[in-house]
């Protein structure tokens, strides 16, 4: 027993409270090391000995704060309170507030799409997701109007860039925003802290100033959620989650398929406006 403990000395991890331990070595490797010092045992015997010592098979547990992604809870709470109060102020004055983000990029082609469907035989798809077999890559950029409870999705066919993000917001304002909010000159945008609309992007800030503020005379205020908190961005659970559920298990074989599933998704959901405009931008 002491020889096994000596072998596992630098390969042992554990829980500080429950006392549960585990090792990063396989039972076969431990058995080989024991044989090298004259102890001939099988991997099954090693397994029984490890269980007797309190070891068990475990996976990594994401339980430790990683600094930047998990800031001081009090500071993060103040950020959420500030965003919440600002949204209430805009709502009380009838000013537009939009939640924006880019959904997960999707390879277009006969590729596996996670999810299950009720059918007699499974849909045959490629065994590997090679980009060279794809027609292209869909980049869905969503804009959710929190005041009117309505959404717009633009589907790009190349890359997710700050210029693309601002262009989508500008199209939304031209087509819907200025009609739904006539004579309003203020706009609040809430977004994640990273990606094409991240707080560090100078292109994002410059294009917002040029294409929204200067061209349309808007005063734009942008609030970014803290790192690691994107699930609290309204667009995630009001638009994107419903899209994912609607096309789950369906291979996205063409851009037209992507657009049709997005349109069908919101026609079938009464809590969100049924007329969701879609463009291939």
């Amino acid at each position: 027993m002491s020889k096994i403990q000596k072998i596992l000395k630098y390969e042992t991890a554990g829980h500080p409270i429950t006392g549960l331990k585990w090792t990063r070595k396989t039972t076969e490797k431990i058995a080989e090391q024991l044989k090298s010092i004259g102890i001939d045992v099988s991997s099954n015997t090693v397994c029984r000995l490890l269980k007797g010592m309190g070891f068990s098979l475990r996976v990594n547990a994401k339980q430790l704060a990683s600094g930047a992604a998990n800031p001081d809870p009090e500071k993060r709470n103040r950020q959420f309170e500030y965003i919440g109060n600002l949204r209430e102020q805009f709502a009380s004055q009838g000013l537009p507030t939009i939640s924006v983000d880019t959904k997960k990029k999707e390879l277009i082609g006969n590729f596996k799409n996670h999810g299950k469907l009720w059918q007699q035989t499974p849909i045959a798809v490629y065994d590997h997701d090679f980009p060279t077999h794809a027609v292209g890559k869909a980049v869905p950029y969503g804009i959710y109007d929190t005041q009117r409870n309505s959404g717009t999705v633009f589907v790009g066919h190349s890359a997710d860039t700050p210029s693309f993000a601002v262009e989508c917001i500008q199209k939304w304002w031209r087509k819907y925003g200025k009609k739904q909010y006539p004579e309003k000159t203020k706009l609040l945008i809430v977004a994640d802290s990273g990606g094409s609309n991240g707080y560090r992007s100078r292109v994002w800030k410059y294009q917002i100033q040029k294409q929204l503020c200067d061209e349309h005379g808007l005063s734009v205020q942008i609030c970014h959620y803290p790192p690691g908190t994107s699930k609290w961005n309204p667009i995630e659970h009001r638009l994107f989650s419903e899209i994912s559920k609607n096309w789950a298990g369906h291979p996205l074989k063409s851009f037209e398929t992507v657009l049709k599933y997005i349109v069908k998704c919101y026609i079938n959901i009464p809590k969100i406006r049924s007329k969701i405009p879609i463009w291939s931008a």
Side-chain angles (χ1 to χ4, degrees):
M1 190 75 71
S2 59
K3 292 187 180 294
I4 293 181
Q5 291 175 334
K6 186 176 181 180
I7 292 174
L8 300 179
K9 181 178 180 180
Y10 299 107
E11 298 292 337
T12 299
H15 195 284
I17 298 176
T18 62
L20 183 66
K21 298 179 181 179
W22 57 90
T23 177
R24 289 176 280 271
K25 283 186 175 293
T26 64
T27 54
E28 288 81 5
K29 290 183 178 180
I30 296 174
E32 289 178 4
Q33 285 192 276
L34 288 173
K35 287 179 182 179
S36 67
I37 59 175
I39 303 176
D40 191 5
V41 294
S42 67
S43 59
N44 290 337
T45 301
V46 172
C47 182
R48 289 196 299 270
L49 292 173
L50 288 175
K51 287 183 178 180
M53 295 165 60
F55 286 84
S56 64
L57 291 173
R58 294 285 172 176
V59 297
N60 298 146
K62 293 184 177 181
Q63 297 177 343
L64 304 177
S66 57
N70 294 276
D72 184 350
E74 293 185 3
K75 292 182 180 179
R76 188 170 67 175
N77 187 61
R78 286 199 294 270
Q79 284 183 269
F80 275 103
E81 289 181 348
Y82 175 78
I83 295 173
N85 292 334
L86 199 58
R87 287 179 57 185
E88 289 181 1
Q89 291 176 21
F90 270 70
S92 64
Q93 299 175 39
L95 298 172
T97 298
I98 58 174
S99 170
V100 301
D101 196 13
T102 304
K103 194 180 184 300
K104 174 180 171 290
K105 303 175 186 66
E106 303 285 351
L107 284 177
I108 303 301
N110 194 27
F111 301 105
K112 177 182 178 181
N113 197 5
H114 294 288
K116 298 180 180 179
L117 296 173
W118 286 103
Q119 51 189 20
Q120 294 180 330
T121 57
I123 300 174
V125 297
Y126 295 140
D127 56 351
H128 287 81
D129 296 340
F130 291 129
T132 52
H133 294 163
V135 177
K137 181 178 288 187
V139 185
Y141 191 86
I143 300 171
Y144 175 62
D145 185 344
T146 61
Q147 311 286 33
R148 300 178 65 85
N149 193 34
S150 63
T152 305
V153 180
F154 296 86
V155 180
H157 54 75
S158 55
D160 178 28
T161 64
S163 297
F164 170 67
V166 177
E167 183 181 351
C168 292
I169 297 174
Q170 184 186 41
K171 286 184 177 180
W172 170 83
W173 179 257
R174 285 175 175 171
K175 186 71 175 179
Y176 296 96
K178 66 180 181 181
K179 295 180 180 179
Q180 295 167 347
Y181 300 95
E183 300 180 359
K184 301 298 183 182
T185 58
K186 291 185 178 181
L187 172 66
L188 174 62
I189 300 176
V190 293
D192 294 345
S193 59
S196 59
N197 42 230
Y199 71 96
R200 292 183 178 179
S201 174
R202 294 183 181 181
V203 176
W204 159 258
K205 298 173 185 177
Y206 173 76
Q207 295 297 117
I208 287 287
Q209 178 67 44
K210 181 180 179 181
Q211 295 180 232
L212 289 175
C213 300
D214 296 344
E215 186 170 337
H216 297 281
L218 288 172
S219 174
V220 180
Q221 190 162 353
I222 303 173
C223 289
H224 290 94
Y225 286 96
T229 62
S230 61
K231 64 182 178 181
W232 279 281
N233 193 350
I235 196 171
E236 294 289 344
H237 48 84
R238 296 296 289 160
L239 254 73
F240 291 164
S241 61
E242 299 299 333
I243 293 174
S244 297
K245 288 190 290 185
N246 191 54
W247 68 32
H250 296 275
L252 304 176
K253 296 183 179 181
S254 66
F255 283 95
E256 183 180 5
T257 302
V258 173
L259 297 176
K260 286 183 177 179
Y261 275 123
I262 294 175
V263 172
K264 184 179 179 181
C265 173
Y266 293 104
I267 290 177
N268 295 332
I269 299 175
K271 65 182 179 181
I272 297 180
R273 292 178 176 272
S274 60
K275 295 182 179 179
I276 304 297
I278 310 295
W279 287 275
S280 180

